[in-house]
Amino acid sequence: MAETPLVGVIMGSKSDLPVMEACTQQLEEFGVPYELVIASAHRNPAKVHEWASTAADRGLKVIIAAAGKAAHLGGVVAAYTPLPIVGVPMKTSDLGGMDSLLSMVQMPSGVPVACVAINGAKNAAIYATQILGATMPEYGQKIANFKKAMAEG
Ligand code: RP5
């Protein structure tokens, strides 16, 4: 039987997938079970609502939300779940991702979305695994090993 996903990865468009492969690849390297869904806060709001509002009950512990342009996805997901959200602002052709970054990071007080760099897909996976590692020692160990390997070059 497949493991229950611990991290939910949601993105606004399949056009985000090539960048977000750096995220899913890193989650796989850490052995973190995840689920992936493509749903836009603007184009598929009902799907986003259903997915986000049931995420915690399905066993997810952290959500990674990637979106570009007027990137409201992380904030909308945050509105519907008590889980921590890590946002990934997508680089865009018009404004280079500053549009995504600012619309994702400037959340109102009380509704946080942690935000990595523009196209920071790999860091989102590392950060989500760090959150898991705070309470699940096997993932804490994966992060410790990762940092040790990085320090050794
Ligand atoms: C956002 O709009 C997506 O997250 C994507 O980054 C951007 C452009 O989407 P497409 O027009 O390529 O589907 O919803």
Side-chain angles (χ1 to χ4, degrees), residues 3-11 24 27 32-38 51-52 54-55 58-60 62-64:
E3 280 183 282
T4 304
L6 295 173
V7 174
V9 181
I10 186 167
M11 59 195 83
T24 55
L27 290 172
V32 174
Y34 66 90
E35 66 177 41
L36 190 150
V37 64
I38 295 172
W51 185 84
T54 56
R58 284 183 285 112
L60 296 180
V62 191
I63 288 173
I64 295 171

CSV table of all heavy atoms in Angstrom, one decimal, residues 3-11 24 27 32-38 51-52 54-55 58-60 62-64:
chain,number,residue,atom,x,y,z
A,3,GLU,N,2.3,4.9,0.8
A,3,GLU,CA,2.4,5.6,2.0
A,3,GLU,C,1.4,6.8,2.0
A,3,GLU,O,1.2,7.4,0.9
A,3,GLU,CB,3.8,6.2,2.3
A,3,GLU,CG,4.7,5.1,2.8
A,3,GLU,CD,6.1,5.8,3.1
A,3,GLU,OE1,6.8,6.0,2.1
A,3,GLU,OE2,6.4,6.1,4.2
A,4,THR,N,0.8,7.2,3.1
A,4,THR,CA,0.0,8.4,3.2
A,4,THR,C,0.8,9.6,2.9
A,4,THR,O,1.8,9.8,3.6
A,4,THR,CB,-0.7,8.5,4.5
A,4,THR,OG1,-1.4,7.3,4.8
A,4,THR,CG2,-1.6,9.6,4.6
A,5,PRO,N,0.4,10.5,2.0
A,5,PRO,CA,1.2,11.7,1.7
A,5,PRO,C,1.3,12.6,3.0
A,5,PRO,O,0.3,12.7,3.7
A,5,PRO,CB,0.4,12.4,0.6
A,5,PRO,CG,-0.4,11.3,0.0
A,5,PRO,CD,-0.7,10.3,1.0
A,6,LEU,N,2.4,13.1,3.2
A,6,LEU,CA,2.6,14.1,4.3
A,6,LEU,C,2.7,15.5,3.8
A,6,LEU,O,2.5,16.4,4.5
A,6,LEU,CB,4.0,13.7,5.0
A,6,LEU,CG,4.0,12.4,5.8
A,6,LEU,CD1,5.4,12.1,6.3
A,6,LEU,CD2,3.0,12.4,6.9
A,7,VAL,N,3.1,15.7,2.6
A,7,VAL,CA,3.3,17.0,2.0
A,7,VAL,C,2.3,17.1,0.8
A,7,VAL,O,2.3,16.2,-0.1
A,7,VAL,CB,4.7,17.3,1.5
A,7,VAL,CG1,4.8,18.6,0.8
A,7,VAL,CG2,5.7,17.3,2.7
A,8,GLY,N,1.6,18.2,0.7
A,8,GLY,CA,0.7,18.4,-0.4
A,8,GLY,C,1.4,19.5,-1.3
A,8,GLY,O,1.7,20.6,-0.8
A,9,VAL,N,1.5,19.2,-2.6
A,9,VAL,CA,2.1,20.1,-3.5
A,9,VAL,C,1.0,20.6,-4.4
A,9,VAL,O,0.5,19.7,-5.2
A,9,VAL,CB,3.3,19.5,-4.3
A,9,VAL,CG1,3.9,20.6,-5.2
A,9,VAL,CG2,4.4,19.0,-3.3
A,10,ILE,N,0.7,21.8,-4.4
A,10,ILE,CA,-0.4,22.4,-5.3
A,10,ILE,C,0.2,23.5,-6.2
A,10,ILE,O,1.1,24.2,-5.7
A,10,ILE,CB,-1.6,22.9,-4.5
A,10,ILE,CG1,-2.8,23.3,-5.4
A,10,ILE,CG2,-1.3,24.0,-3.5
A,10,ILE,CD1,-4.1,23.5,-4.7
A,11,MET,N,-0.2,23.5,-7.4
A,11,MET,CA,0.3,24.5,-8.3
A,11,MET,C,-0.8,25.0,-9.2
A,11,MET,O,-1.7,24.3,-9.5
A,11,MET,CB,1.5,24.1,-9.1
A,11,MET,CG,1.3,22.9,-10.0
A,11,MET,SD,2.9,22.2,-10.5
A,11,MET,CE,3.3,21.2,-9.1
A,24,THR,N,9.6,18.2,-6.3
A,24,THR,CA,9.2,16.8,-6.1
A,24,THR,C,10.4,15.9,-6.1
A,24,THR,O,10.4,14.9,-5.4
A,24,THR,CB,8.2,16.4,-7.2
A,24,THR,OG1,8.7,16.7,-8.5
A,24,THR,CG2,6.9,17.2,-7.1
A,27,LEU,N,11.9,16.1,-2.6
A,27,LEU,CA,11.0,15.3,-1.7
A,27,LEU,C,11.3,13.9,-1.9
A,27,LEU,O,11.4,13.1,-0.9
A,27,LEU,CB,9.5,15.7,-1.9
A,27,LEU,CG,9.0,17.1,-1.5
A,27,LEU,CD1,7.6,17.3,-2.0
A,27,LEU,CD2,9.2,17.3,0.0
A,32,VAL,N,10.1,11.6,1.3
A,32,VAL,CA,8.9,12.2,1.8
A,32,VAL,C,7.7,11.9,0.9
A,32,VAL,O,7.7,12.3,-0.3
A,32,VAL,CB,9.0,13.8,2.0
A,32,VAL,CG1,7.7,14.4,2.4
A,32,VAL,CG2,10.1,14.1,2.9
A,33,PRO,N,6.7,11.2,1.4
A,33,PRO,CA,5.5,10.9,0.5
A,33,PRO,C,4.7,12.2,0.3
A,33,PRO,O,4.5,13.0,1.3
A,33,PRO,CB,4.7,9.9,1.3
A,33,PRO,CG,5.2,9.9,2.7
A,33,PRO,CD,6.6,10.6,2.7
A,34,TYR,N,4.4,12.5,-0.9
A,34,TYR,CA,3.7,13.7,-1.2
A,34,TYR,C,2.5,13.4,-2.2
A,34,TYR,O,2.5,12.4,-2.9
A,34,TYR,CB,4.6,14.8,-1.8
A,34,TYR,CG,5.2,14.4,-3.2
A,34,TYR,CD1,4.6,14.8,-4.3
A,34,TYR,CD2,6.4,13.6,-3.2
A,34,TYR,CE1,5.1,14.4,-5.6
A,34,TYR,CE2,6.9,13.3,-4.5
A,34,TYR,CZ,6.3,13.7,-5.6
A,34,TYR,OH,6.8,13.3,-6.9
A,35,GLU,N,1.6,14.4,-2.3
A,35,GLU,CA,0.6,14.3,-3.4
A,35,GLU,C,0.7,15.6,-4.1
A,35,GLU,O,1.1,16.6,-3.6
A,35,GLU,CB,-0.8,14.1,-2.8
A,35,GLU,CG,-1.3,15.2,-2.0
A,35,GLU,CD,-2.8,15.0,-1.5
A,35,GLU,OE1,-3.1,13.8,-1.1
A,35,GLU,OE2,-3.6,15.9,-1.5
A,36,LEU,N,0.4,15.5,-5.4
A,36,LEU,CA,0.5,16.7,-6.3
A,36,LEU,C,-0.8,17.0,-7.0
A,36,LEU,O,-1.5,16.1,-7.4
A,36,LEU,CB,1.6,16.4,-7.3
A,36,LEU,CG,2.1,17.5,-8.2
A,36,LEU,CD1,3.5,17.3,-8.6
A,36,LEU,CD2,1.2,17.7,-9.4
A,37,VAL,N,-1.2,18.2,-7.0
A,37,VAL,CA,-2.5,18.6,-7.6
A,37,VAL,C,-2.3,19.9,-8.4
A,37,VAL,O,-1.5,20.8,-7.9
A,37,VAL,CB,-3.6,18.7,-6.6
A,37,VAL,CG1,-3.4,19.8,-5.6
A,37,VAL,CG2,-5.0,18.9,-7.3
A,38,ILE,N,-2.9,20.0,-9.5
A,38,ILE,CA,-2.9,21.3,-10.3
A,38,ILE,C,-4.3,21.9,-10.2
A,38,ILE,O,-5.3,21.3,-10.6
A,38,ILE,CB,-2.5,21.0,-11.7
A,38,ILE,CG1,-1.0,20.5,-11.8
A,38,ILE,CG2,-2.6,22.3,-12.6
A,38,ILE,CD1,-0.6,20.0,-13.1
A,51,TRP,N,-9.8,20.7,-1.9
A,51,TRP,CA,-8.5,20.1,-1.6
A,51,TRP,C,-7.9,20.6,-0.3
A,51,TRP,O,-7.5,19.9,0.5
A,51,TRP,CB,-7.6,20.3,-2.8
A,51,TRP,CG,-6.2,19.6,-2.7
A,51,TRP,CD1,-5.9,18.3,-3.0
A,51,TRP,CD2,-5.0,20.2,-2.2
A,51,TRP,NE1,-4.6,18.1,-2.7
A,51,TRP,CE2,-4.0,19.2,-2.2
A,51,TRP,CE3,-4.7,21.5,-1.7
A,51,TRP,CZ2,-2.7,19.4,-1.8
A,51,TRP,CZ3,-3.4,21.7,-1.2
A,51,TRP,CH2,-2.4,20.7,-1.3
A,52,ALA,N,-8.0,21.9,-0.2
A,52,ALA,CA,-7.3,22.6,1.0
A,52,ALA,C,-8.1,22.3,2.3
A,52,ALA,O,-7.5,22.0,3.3
A,52,ALA,CB,-7.2,24.1,0.8
A,54,THR,N,-9.8,19.8,3.1
A,54,THR,CA,-9.7,18.4,3.5
A,54,THR,C,-8.3,17.9,3.7
A,54,THR,O,-8.1,16.7,4.1
A,54,THR,CB,-10.4,17.4,2.5
A,54,THR,OG1,-9.8,17.6,1.2
A,54,THR,CG2,-11.9,17.7,2.4
A,55,ALA,N,-7.3,18.8,3.5
A,55,ALA,CA,-5.9,18.4,3.5
A,55,ALA,C,-5.5,17.8,4.9
A,55,ALA,O,-4.8,16.7,4.9
A,55,ALA,CB,-5.0,19.6,3.1
A,58,ARG,N,-6.8,14.4,5.7
A,58,ARG,CA,-6.2,13.3,4.8
A,58,ARG,C,-4.8,13.0,5.3
A,58,ARG,O,-4.2,12.1,4.7
A,58,ARG,CB,-6.2,13.8,3.4
A,58,ARG,CG,-7.6,13.7,2.7
A,58,ARG,CD,-7.6,14.0,1.2
A,58,ARG,NE,-7.5,15.5,1.1
A,58,ARG,CZ,-6.5,16.1,0.5
A,58,ARG,NH1,-5.4,15.3,0.1
A,58,ARG,NH2,-6.4,17.4,0.4
A,59,GLY,N,-4.3,13.7,6.3
A,59,GLY,CA,-3.0,13.3,6.8
A,59,GLY,C,-1.8,14.2,6.4
A,59,GLY,O,-0.7,14.0,6.8
A,60,LEU,N,-2.1,15.2,5.5
A,60,LEU,CA,-1.0,16.1,5.2
A,60,LEU,C,-0.6,16.9,6.4
A,60,LEU,O,-1.4,17.2,7.2
A,60,LEU,CB,-1.5,17.0,4.0
A,60,LEU,CG,-1.9,16.4,2.7
A,60,LEU,CD1,-2.3,17.5,1.7
A,60,LEU,CD2,-0.7,15.6,2.1
A,62,VAL,N,2.1,19.5,5.8
A,62,VAL,CA,2.6,20.8,5.2
A,62,VAL,C,2.1,20.9,3.8
A,62,VAL,O,2.0,19.9,3.1
A,62,VAL,CB,4.2,20.8,5.2
A,62,VAL,CG1,4.7,22.2,4.8
A,62,VAL,CG2,4.8,20.3,6.4
A,63,ILE,N,1.9,22.1,3.4
A,63,ILE,CA,1.5,22.3,2.0
A,63,ILE,C,2.5,23.3,1.3
A,63,ILE,O,2.9,24.3,1.9
A,63,ILE,CB,0.1,22.9,1.9
A,63,ILE,CG1,-0.9,21.8,2.3
A,63,ILE,CG2,-0.2,23.5,0.5
A,63,ILE,CD1,-2.3,22.3,2.5
A,64,ILE,N,2.9,22.9,0.1
A,64,ILE,CA,3.7,23.7,-0.8
A,64,ILE,C,2.8,24.2,-1.9
A,64,ILE,O,2.2,23.4,-2.6
A,64,ILE,CB,4.9,22.9,-1.4
A,64,ILE,CG1,5.8,22.5,-0.2
A,64,ILE,CG2,5.6,23.8,-2.4
A,64,ILE,CD1,6.9,21.6,-0.6
